[in-house]
Amino acid sequence: MNNIYQNIEPFVQLIKDSKTIVLAGHTSPDGDAISASLSLGMSLQKMGKEPIILLEEYGSSFEYLKGHNMVYKEGYENIQDIDLFISLDCGDIERLGLAKDVFEKAKNTVNIDHHISNNNFGKLNIVNPSSSSTSEIVFEIIDYIGNIDLDIATALYTGIVFDTGGFKHNCTTKRTHQIAGELIDIGVDSVCIHSNILTMHSLENSKLLAKSINNIYIENDIIISTLSNEEILSLGCTNKNTGGIVQYLLDTKGMNVAIFLYEKEDKSIKASFRSKAIDVNQIASKFGGGGHILAAGATIKDMTLEQAKEAILEEIRSV
Ligand code: 5GP
Ligand code: MN
């Protein structure tokens, strides 16, 4: 464990001293960003605070979590006089999306994250790339505050299960399992959470997986697939139905690097990188993104799907 513990006490003091507190996860929030935000929000409420959570729209598979009523639905320009802004699961300030403007207006800022690419953009930084997930770091914080309950535990377990792929990615540590054990002790329904987060999928998800398998290109141990916006729409799907595809590609026997690209409505390209060997954080950073050594992402604005595919392959060929 890095020295995150020494920053927890000053963080808790900042919470106590602040009135208007804003929490935000990254753009296109995933299970870790959502769970870290909701769990910390619930803990702050139990401390008598009224936190505002900024999260872009997320899928119905997280409906079973509590605390959605803290998520702010109005224009962000209405949020004023912010004492404390807490960024969760963001490697850099750009990952905050529209919430970046709110971050810049805040008196104090705290950056809680586990990405190796994190550039310590907060006034206070609680960053540990050895933690499986931001939710794992938030567990350490709430454990210190001492007000964990079943709803908070359920959210934390969800974030940890999501980012570890069910305790199977290499970010999973002894501490991750210890924390999971403590959360199960509190009463979380681990079977239900695993099903909701990992195994259950929609028919739309299956349709896009099938299409993306049709579009596979393989070069040595690199597997890459793409979906255009037109292909996504023609199947009656949205790009929210692409979860799990890149991991499925990586799990193909003999493959060591998987890339999945899809085109968004605004023509930008969302790239997901997964690896069993090479550092894909480095590759993603060449395209303005980042993440972890074996799992990273980027949004590419100035290329077509085919150009992005070729540019990424070129980058990987030169590693
Ligand atoms: P995914 O491929 O699932 O979107 O992301 C994989 C990992 O890379 C996640 O930890 C995610 O937070 C991170 N990531 C994805 N896109 C970006 C990006 O554009 N910039 C940075 N810094 N990290 C990203
Ligand atoms: Mn995460």
Side-chain angles (χ1 to χ4, degrees):
M1 180 76 60
N2 283 0
N3 60 355
I4 62 166
Y5 284 109
Q6 76 189 41
N7 287 344
I8 292 180
E9 169 55 29
F11 174 51
V12 174
Q13 201 51 53
L14 268 177
I15 295 170
K16 287 181 180 159
D17 294 343
S18 301
K19 187 165 186 304
T20 308
I21 304 178
V22 176
L23 283 72
H26 57 76
T27 179
S28 300
D30 63 9
D32 188 27
I34 295 163
S35 302
S37 305
L38 294 177
S39 56
L40 188 56
M42 287 188 270
S43 172
L44 264 52
Q45 277 187 326
K46 291 181 81 172
M47 292 172 76
K49 305 291 171 181
E50 292 176 13
I52 296 167
I53 298 182
L54 309 184
L55 280 174
E56 287 173 13
E57 222 174 290
Y58 46 88
S60 58
S61 48
F62 297 101
E63 259 165 15
Y64 68 93
L65 297 178
K66 296 283 166 39
H68 302 289
N69 56 331
M70 288 179 280
V71 179
Y72 195 75
K73 301 284 183 210
E74 292 164 45
Y76 289 1
E77 65 281 357
N78 296 335
I79 308 171
Q80 299 292 341
D81 300 322
I82 307 131
D83 297 314
L84 178 59
F85 186 107
I86 306 165
S87 167
L88 293 149
D89 206 35
C90 298
D92 57 61
I93 195 171
E94 299 302 327
R95 289 283 283 158
L96 283 166
L98 293 176
K100 180 183 160 191
D101 290 348
V102 186
F103 178 99
E104 282 168 347
K105 287 194 291 188
K107 281 190 206 110
N108 279 300
T109 59
V110 181
N111 159 27
I112 304 176
D113 187 41
H114 70 127
H115 290 98
I116 194 160
S117 54
N118 193 289
N119 58 7
N120 292 314
F121 60 92
K123 273 191 195 160
L124 184 68
N125 299 285
I126 305 180
V127 175
N128 184 12
S130 310
S131 293
S132 68
S133 50
T134 299
S135 297
E136 183 171 321
I137 302 174
V138 171
F139 170 87
E140 307 288 6
I141 295 166
I142 301 178
D143 193 41
Y144 178 87
I145 294 170
N147 63 9
I148 195 158
D149 61 19
L150 183 56
D151 290 339
I152 293 173
T154 298
L156 292 171
Y157 194 89
T158 297
I160 292 171
V161 164
F162 182 90
D163 260 21
T164 60
F167 307 102
K168 69 181 162 51
H169 297 332
N170 80 327
C171 58
T172 311
T173 65
K174 177 181 169 184
R175 181 69 186 139
T176 316
H177 285 288
Q178 282 171 338
I179 292 170
E182 289 195 34
L183 298 174
I184 285 173
D185 249 358
I186 294 168
V188 302
D189 186 343
S190 64
V191 174
C192 171
I193 294 174
H194 277 264
S195 167
N196 271 313
I197 296 305
L198 296 177
T199 44
M200 191 163 52
H201 49 262
S202 62
L203 191 58
E204 284 76 17
N205 197 192
S206 301
K207 286 182 186 171
L208 291 187
L209 176 63
K211 187 76 189 164
S212 68
I213 287 170
N214 251 327
N215 294 350
I216 280 173
Y217 170 77
I218 291 178
E219 190 174 300
N220 302 317
D221 61 349
I222 309 166
I223 183 166
I224 185 161
S225 186
T226 59
L227 286 177
S228 67
N229 188 40
E230 200 184 335
E231 286 173 312
I232 294 171
L233 296 181
S234 70
L235 289 166
C237 302
T238 76
N239 61 37
K240 297 255 181 305
N241 306 127
T242 54
I245 292 179
V246 68
Q247 186 61 43
Y248 192 90
L249 297 176
L250 184 69
D251 288 338
T252 309
K253 201 169 175 183
M255 295 299 123
N256 281 319
V257 187
I259 306 108
F260 173 61
L261 308 175
Y262 70 77
E263 186 187 26
K264 295 188 179 180
E265 293 88 345
D266 66 1
K267 300 282 172 206
S268 66
I269 311 295
K270 163 71 196 173
S272 283
F273 304 82
R274 298 292 185 273
S275 167
K276 294 176 196 158
I278 66 162
D279 180 352
V280 285
N281 171 53
Q282 290 286 343
I283 308 281
S285 69
K286 295 262 165 60
F287 296 90
H292 311 284
I293 290 173
L294 301 183
T299 298
I300 303 168
K301 294 225 163 82
D302 48 0
M303 290 185 200
T304 64
L305 203 49
E306 272 310 308
Q307 286 169 336
K309 177 177 162 183
E310 203 32 58
I312 290 167
L313 278 170
E314 204 44 55
E315 221 27 87
I316 298 176
R317 286 183 195 121
S318 66
V319 170

